[in-house]
Amino acid sequence: MWLVPFVASAGIVWRGDFETGDRSQYSSTQMVSSDRLQVVTSPVAEGKYALKATVRQGDDPINSSGNRNELVYLGREASGSEYYYRWKVMFPADYPSVDTWQLFTQWHHDGCCGSPPVEFYVRGEEIRLSLPGTGEVPWKTKLVRGVWHEFILHAKWHADPKVGFVELWHNQKLVLPKRGAITMYSGQKNYLKLGLYRNDTVKPVGVVYHDGFVQATTLADVLPPVTQPPPPPPVDAGTPPPVDAGSPGEEEPVEVDAGSPEEEEPGEADAGVPPVVEEPEPGPTMPGSSAPPQGMPSEDVLNSEVGCSTGGSSLAAFALLGLLGVMRVRRRRS
């Protein structure tokens, strides 16, 4: 995109954009009939109107070399003058592909003969800029049909290549940096010719569209306006977004209070009733042995407890021995 904003300026010298709806912006025409240079409403590159230039083999309105139908603008650029020119050109899908010259824009000298000092033309499948004064073709690009090609030429008109120069943009890209060139012939002035001028050996009908020509003293004056994106729509903060209430006839879901998770309440502990402890069932006994009655410790257990006790008092030991003696006496008596 262009970074230079478009601002209306007194730097604009002349417009040849056909927005008058006719050819009145130009000084004169070189055409065999009015249908060869038509102002049309479609296709256009900008505004409402464009020029359709048509050439058929044999079209020679000025009895000169080649076939042509061209508009003429007598700007008469003087030696040492400097300008920017912008215009747009479209070659339709059926534009002829021939290995010879087909000029669509030229700055011609006001002398009688010879090639113009600056010319734009098609040869085969290329678009070219030529400087016949030095025999150079400093820029060329592929011919693309069916699209608008935009050109901006910055030129200083002079017969001395150390003073004169050209600079070129194509489709908003600088494709030829400023370079010295013979841009006019000594003692002569230049003028513009726009349309189609080609070798008379070309047989197919040729059509070229032109639009938006403007001449100015600064680059900013010839740049197309920068299109600003539309502002976003205002935000309505007072209207809540719509709520999908579901389809009619459906049963509304039951609301659940999910804010307080349901906790399991602990049971009350009964501290007054001790828990019931089940007595272990007596294990099996070996045959021939007698088990002590339930609830009474066996002698082995007592003896084991006595033998293993290291922290009891001597009084507890004597008590146990006395109890053991009483149990033995009772057994003898029984």
Side-chain angles (χ1 to χ4, degrees):
M1 293 181 62
W2 293 105
L3 299 180
V4 182
F6 179 82
V7 180
S9 171
I12 295 178
V13 176
W14 172 74
R15 288 187 182 276
D17 55 8
F18 310 103
E19 290 306 299
T20 56
D22 53 27
R23 299 185 297 264
S24 62
Q25 294 167 309
Y26 290 80
S27 305
S28 62
T29 63
Q30 294 177 350
M31 61 183 182
V32 295
S33 59
S34 60
D35 65 333
R36 299 298 203 267
L37 294 174
Q38 293 179 301
V39 176
V40 297
T41 57
S42 180
V44 297
E46 57 187 60
K48 295 181 179 180
Y49 302 99
L51 175 72
K52 178 183 178 182
T54 304
V55 172
R56 298 177 180 272
Q57 190 175 34
D59 288 352
D60 188 5
I62 61 174
N63 194 25
S64 181
S65 62
N67 296 155
R68 77 182 75 213
N69 289 293
E70 296 179 289
L71 289 175
V72 176
Y73 173 64
L74 297 175
R76 294 189 172 89
E77 283 83 344
S79 178
S81 61
E82 181 180 343
Y83 297 104
Y84 290 86
Y85 307 86
R86 177 179 69 89
W87 74 106
K88 298 179 181 181
V89 183
M90 187 177 75
F91 305 90
D94 59 353
Y95 187 80
S97 179
V98 290
D99 190 19
T100 187
W101 51 272
Q102 302 183 80
L103 274 68
F104 57 90
T105 306
Q106 57 175 315
W107 277 263
H108 205 284
H109 53 291
D110 58 5
C112 69
C113 309
S115 297
V118 177
E119 58 186 16
F120 287 82
Y121 66 96
V122 171
R123 187 181 189 102
E125 291 298 306
E126 289 182 343
I127 299 174
R128 299 181 179 183
L129 164 64
S130 176
L131 304 173
T134 56
E136 295 180 281
V137 179
W139 174 80
K140 58 185 177 180
T141 190
K142 180 181 178 181
L143 171 62
V144 180
R145 296 171 173 82
V147 299
W148 287 97
H149 294 263
E150 181 185 77
F151 300 94
I152 295 179
L153 174 68
H154 179 203
K156 185 167 185 177
W157 305 109
H158 206 279
D160 185 350
K162 296 180 180 179
V163 179
F165 63 77
V166 292
E167 187 177 21
L168 180 66
W169 287 261
H170 177 242
N171 292 339
Q172 304 181 0
K173 293 182 180 180
L174 179 64
V175 293
L176 181 64
K178 185 185 295 185
R179 59 173 296 164
I182 297 175
T183 55
M184 72 187 323
Y185 300 138
S186 181
Q188 301 183 25
K189 295 181 180 181
N190 289 347
Y191 64 94
L192 173 68
K193 301 187 75 176
L194 196 75
L196 183 58
Y197 168 46
R198 68 187 193 180
N199 194 316
D200 57 14
T201 62
V202 182
K203 295 181 180 180
V205 177
V207 174
V208 178
Y209 295 92
H210 292 265
D211 199 2
F213 202 103
V214 59
Q215 175 185 358
T217 56
T218 68
L219 177 61
D221 289 321
V222 300
L223 296 182
V226 177
T227 303
Q228 299 293 337
V235 178
D236 184 1
T239 304
V243 177
D244 185 1
S247 303
E250 293 182 354
E251 184 178 354
E252 294 186 358
V254 179
E255 295 184 358
V256 178
D257 183 7
S260 301
E262 193 169 341
E263 298 179 358
E264 183 178 355
E265 296 185 2
E268 296 182 2
D270 186 359
V273 180
V276 178
V277 179
E278 295 183 359
E279 292 288 340
E281 296 182 2
T285 58
M286 297 295 293
S289 64
S290 61
Q294 294 184 1
M296 296 295 292
S298 65
E299 293 182 7
D300 294 337
V301 173
L302 291 176
N303 292 335
S304 174
E305 289 179 355
V306 173
C308 294
S309 175
T310 57
S313 63
S314 58
L315 180 59
F318 282 115
L320 288 173
L321 290 175
L323 178 59
L324 183 58
V326 172
M327 290 176 63
R328 289 176 180 176
V329 169
R330 287 182 179 178
R331 285 182 181 179
R332 291 192 186 102
R333 289 180 180 179
S334 63

